[in-house]
C-alpha cells in the first residue's frame, strides 16, 4: 500500500491491521509532497514531459 | 533530463486550492506546495501562500492542473464553473497549458474548456499515474480532508474500475470520508457513554478533525478548516469535554442517567451545577492537548 494525504496515518493503521506492507508516498518519490500529492503529481508528470 | 527544470501543478477543489511546484535539481526533485482554503466566494486563502506558489512558477514553462470533485459546489452550472476557473488560472500563470482528465489523458490549452466534465475530479489519476511509474504493483490510498481515494495500480498502469465520481463511489474506490471535514454522524451511529451506547445526532456538531485532534492523531496545525461552531480549533478539543458534542439533549440525559443526578433531588447547593463548570469526564478529555 502507498499511503498519502492528511489522513495517511489511518491508511497505515489499516495496512498494519491486515498485514499489508505500507510505504509513504513521500518515501517512494523521495520528495515531500505533504498534503498536495495530486498537484505535485501533475507538476511531476509535466516535468517528465507528459505533453498534450 | 526534461523540458524544464520546474513545473507547476494545480488541484482545484471545492474546499481547497492546492498548488505545487516541482523543481529538478542535480538529479533530485523538490516539491513546494501548500493547500489554501477557499472562502465562500471561491477565492483561495491565505492568499500569501498561493501567491508565493504562483510567483515561484511564474518563470516555469509548464503548468498543468485538474479540477477536484468539490470545485463545482458553489456554482449553479457545473460545466460553466469549471470553464471559468480554468480560464482564470490559465490567465494567471505564464505558460500554463496542460490539463489532466480522469481518463489519464492530458489536454492542451486550446482544448481546455471543451470537455470540462472530463477533467472534473481527476486529481486521483495524476497521483496514481505517478505512483505507477515507481511501484508497478500497488494500492494507492489517499486520505484527504474530505474524501478517500483507493486506487489499484497493476503493471504500472492505473486499473481502477471507475473514472467519474459516481462510478468510483459504486466501485468502492472513492469514499466520502476524510480525516478532517467529515461529519462524525456520517462515520458512527453510536458512541460509548456511561456504560451504554448513545446514538449521535445527525447535526454538524463535530467533524472528523475534532476526533483526530482529540485523540492526538492530528495536530491543531493540521486543523485547517473552520470548526463547526466557529471557535478556534484548539478549543475544539475541549468542546466535547464539558459538553459532549453530538449528544442532543445531553443536559437532560445526564440528569436522567448519571447516578449523581438520580433521585430527582432538584437544584440545590452543589447539585445541578451547570455541567459546563463540572470537571470534564476523563474519558472525553483523553488525549486532550495542553
Amino acid at each position: 500500500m502507498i499511503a498519502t494525504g492528511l489522513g495517511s496515518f489511518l491508511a497505515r493503521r489499516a495496512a498494519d491491521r491486515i498485514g499489508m506492507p505500507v510505504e509513504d508516498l513521500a518515501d517512494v518519490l523521495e520528495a515531500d509532497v505533504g498534503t498536495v500529492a495530486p498537484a505535485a503529481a501533475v507538476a511531476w508528470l509535466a516535468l517528465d514531459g507528459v505533453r498534450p | 533530463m526534461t523540458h524544464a527544470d520546474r513545473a507547476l501543478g494545480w488541484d482545484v477543489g471545492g474546499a481547497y486550492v492546492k498548488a505545487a511546484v516541482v523543481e529538478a535539481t542535480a538529479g533530485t526533485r523538490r516539491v513546494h506546495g501548500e493547500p489554501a482554503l477557499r472562502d465562500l466566494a471561491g477565492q483561495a486563502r491565505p492568499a500569501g501562500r498561493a501567491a508565493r506558489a504562483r510567483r515561484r512558477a511564474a518563470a516555469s514553462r509548464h503548468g498543468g492542473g485538474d479540477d477536484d470533485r468539490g470545485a463545482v459546489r458553489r456554482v449553479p452550472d457545473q460545466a460553466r464553473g469549471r470553464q471559468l476557473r480554468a480560464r482564470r488560472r490559465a490567465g494567471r500563470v505564464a505558460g500554463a497549458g496542460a490539463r489532466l482528465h480522469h481518463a489519464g489523458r492530458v489536454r492542451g490549452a486550446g482544448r481546455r474548456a471543451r470537455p470540462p466534465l472530463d477533467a472534473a475530479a481527476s486529481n486521483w489519476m495524476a497521483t496514481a499515474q505517478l505512483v505507477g511509474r515507481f511501484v508497478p504493483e500497488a494500492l494507492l490510498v489517499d486520505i484527504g480532508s474530505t474524501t478517500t481515494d483507493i486506487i489499484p495500480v497493476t503493471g504500472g498502469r492505473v486499473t481502477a474500475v471507475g473514472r467519474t465520481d459516481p462510478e468510483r463511489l459504486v466501485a468502492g474506490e472513492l469514499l466520502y470520508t476524510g480525516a478532517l471535514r467529515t461529519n462524525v454522524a456520517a462515520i458512527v451511529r453510536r458512541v460509548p457513554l456511561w456504560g451504554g451506547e448513545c446514538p449521535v445526532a445527525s447535526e454538524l456538531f463535530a467533524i472528523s478533525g475534532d476526533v483526530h485532534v482529540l485523540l492526538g492523531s492530528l495536530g491543531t496545525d493540521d486543523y485547517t478548516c473552520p470548526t463547526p461552531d466557529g471557535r478556534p480549533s484548539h478549543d475544539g478539543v475541549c468542546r466535547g469535554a464539558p459538553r459532549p458534542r453530538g449528544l442532543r439533549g445531553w443536559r437532560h440525559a445526564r440528569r436522567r442517567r448519571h447516578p449523581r443526578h438520580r433521585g430527582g433531588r432538584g437544584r440545590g447547593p452543589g447539585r445541578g451545577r451547570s455541567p459546563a463548570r463540572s470537571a470534564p469526564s476523563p474519558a472525553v478529555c483523553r488525549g486532550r492537548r495542553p
Side-chain angles (χ1 to χ4, degrees):
Chain A
M1 179 187 294
I2 308 295
T4 187
L6 181 70
S8 60
F9 64 92
L10 295 168
R12 283 194 292 271
R13 283 181 203 162
D16 289 343
R17 188 165 292 183
I18 61 174
M20 180 182 286
V22 59
E23 197 170 0
D24 198 272
L25 179 61
D27 295 332
V28 172
L29 301 178
E30 295 181 352
D32 185 12
V33 295
T35 59
V36 294
V42 168
W44 198 295
L45 294 172
L47 199 58
D48 279 348
V50 177
R51 304 291 298 159
Chain B
M1 194 52 185
T2 55
H3 295 77
D5 59 358
R6 279 187 290 182
L8 168 68
W10 287 97
D11 177 14
V12 183
Y16 295 89
V17 176
K18 299 176 180 177
V21 175
V22 175
E23 288 183 313
T25 55
T28 62
R29 294 196 173 182
R30 295 172 56 194
V31 178
H32 312 274
E34 286 287 344
L37 192 64
R38 296 167 66 131
D39 63 19
L40 292 177
Q43 301 299 313
R45 62 172 177 158
R49 287 180 173 176
R52 276 199 298 276
R54 284 200 297 272
R55 283 196 295 274
R56 281 194 200 109
S60 70
R61 288 178 289 183
H62 298 284
D66 65 86
D67 276 349
D68 198 357
R69 58 189 62 79
V72 298
R73 292 184 308 174
R74 298 187 184 98
V75 292
D77 184 327
Q78 301 183 353
R80 180 63 179 161
R82 288 194 183 90
Q83 288 175 333
L84 292 173
R85 275 187 290 277
R87 287 173 186 167
R88 280 192 219 121
R89 285 203 311 277
R92 288 187 189 130
V93 182
R99 193 174 195 212
L100 183 74
H101 288 213
H102 54 56
R105 295 189 301 271
V106 179
R107 292 293 178 90
R111 286 179 285 178
R112 176 184 302 113
R114 284 182 193 166
L117 291 176
D118 287 351
S122 59
N123 59 351
W124 61 276
M125 177 59 82
T127 315
Q129 282 192 343
L130 185 60
V131 166
R133 291 179 170 221
F134 290 82
V135 187
E137 309 293 329
L139 181 66
L140 170 63
V141 178
D142 184 350
I143 303 181
S145 63
T146 313
T147 59
T148 296
D149 297 308
I150 304 171
I151 311 157
V153 176
T154 308
R157 301 178 65 84
V158 180
T159 51
V161 173
R163 285 294 183 269
T164 64
D165 272 6
E167 291 172 354
R168 300 180 63 228
L169 284 164
V170 169
E173 295 166 346
L174 168 64
L175 308 177
Y176 253 93
T177 303
L180 199 59
R181 299 178 61 239
T182 304
N183 189 339
V184 168
I187 301 174
V188 295
R189 290 183 178 276
R190 296 171 180 274
V191 294
L193 183 69
W194 302 328
E197 287 196 339
C198 183
V200 299
S202 182
E203 300 277 4
L204 188 59
F205 289 151
I207 55 179
S208 47
D210 291 317
V211 176
H212 295 310
V213 169
L214 179 64
L215 296 176
S217 301
L218 289 179
T220 51
D221 290 345
D222 298 317
Y223 200 125
T224 54
C225 68
T227 58
D229 62 3
R231 292 164 62 185
S233 59
H234 59 270
D235 285 349
V237 175
C238 288
R239 272 194 295 270
R243 187 183 67 180
R245 305 173 83 196
L247 302 180
R248 195 167 195 169
W250 62 276
R251 289 172 188 269
H252 306 296
R254 179 176 177 134
R255 292 198 184 105
R256 279 199 306 271
R257 297 179 188 172
H258 196 280
R260 195 160 64 102
H261 296 285
R262 283 178 184 162
R265 286 176 290 182
R267 282 180 177 269
R271 294 197 181 97
R273 280 189 306 167
S274 166
R277 295 180 184 175
S278 304
S281 159
V284 174
C285 279
R286 182 165 54 87
R288 180 171 58 161
R289 295 185 167 217

